[in-house]
Amino acid sequence: MKATETKLKGCFILEPTKFGDSRGYFFESFNEQTFNKLTGTETHFVQDNQSYSTRGVLRGLHAQAGEHAQAKLVRVLEGKVIDVAVDARPGSETFGQHVAVELSAENNVQLFVPRGFLHGFVVLSDTATFFYKCDNFYNKAAECGVKFDDPELGIDWGMSADELIISDKDQVLPTFSEVFNK
Ligand SMILES: Cc1cn([C@H]2C[C@H](O)[C@@H](COP(=O)(O)OP(=O)(O)O[C@H]3O[C@H](C)C(=O)[C@H](O)[C@H]3O)O2)c(=O)[nH]c1=O
């Protein structure tokens, strides 16, 4: 497994070591000891999530607030997505900045999204199965989010607005400044 820290401190791109042979391939998709050594953290994941979406579905930008904040290790089991993490950590040098990474069943790339980040993704393939580990349990009351197309964030989702499929809930999310600069 190789880990590369992004411009957002604590946010890492991880690439598994793949062992191929005449049958196909094998790789360790997660190893707590390896992960914590590579990221310099003591992360302990407690919940796995999986979602299935069709092309153009955009889920996000979401987070859980306060003590219910979640770090996430995200990857794609089938299909291709653009995955986005936005730094919403108070006082961070990269506050309001984001990274966008292509995750796919072909590249097997993972993104570690630390606590204090907003997270979302858009599906580029016909369908996508998205899998992620969380280091804190789901808490509906602590859910918060920011509008995917907030001009202050300037995220290029790689698709035109008319191609996107977005939940009613996500359509009416506030702007980044309304949530984090209040
Ligand atoms: C997140 C979550 C949801 N749910 C239930 C609540 C709803 O009845 C249903 C769908 O939830 P939602 O529409 O919030 O699902 P997404 O839009 O995929 O939300 C996720 O999208 C972005 C990409 C994220 O990073 C978050 O993990 C999460 O917010 O699953 C649960 O029971 N447990 C959970 O952990």
Side-chain angles (χ1 to χ4, degrees), residues 132-160:
Y132 53 113
K133 308 180 83 66
C134 303
D135 76 338
N136 213 349
F137 295 108
Y138 174 59
N139 183 297
K140 190 171 184 60
E143 282 193 304
C144 65
V146 162
K147 195 80 171 1
F148 72 97
D149 59 353
D150 182 343
E152 185 183 352
L153 300 179
I155 300 169
D156 178 2
W157 293 98
M159 285 188 141
S160 57

Side-chain angles (χ1 to χ4, degrees), residues 77-122:
L77 302 181
E78 170 266 325
K80 184 188 298 185
V81 310
I82 289 178
D83 197 78
V84 172
V86 180
D87 187 353
R89 296 170 297 189
S92 169
E93 286 179 9
T94 53
F95 182 73
Q97 294 186 37
H98 71 276
V99 291
V101 182
E102 187 176 288
L103 307 180
S104 73
E106 283 65 45
N107 69 19
N108 305 124
V109 168
Q110 303 177 18
L111 185 66
F112 178 56
V113 182
R115 291 187 178 191
F117 278 63
L118 291 155
H119 174 248
F121 67 88
V122 67

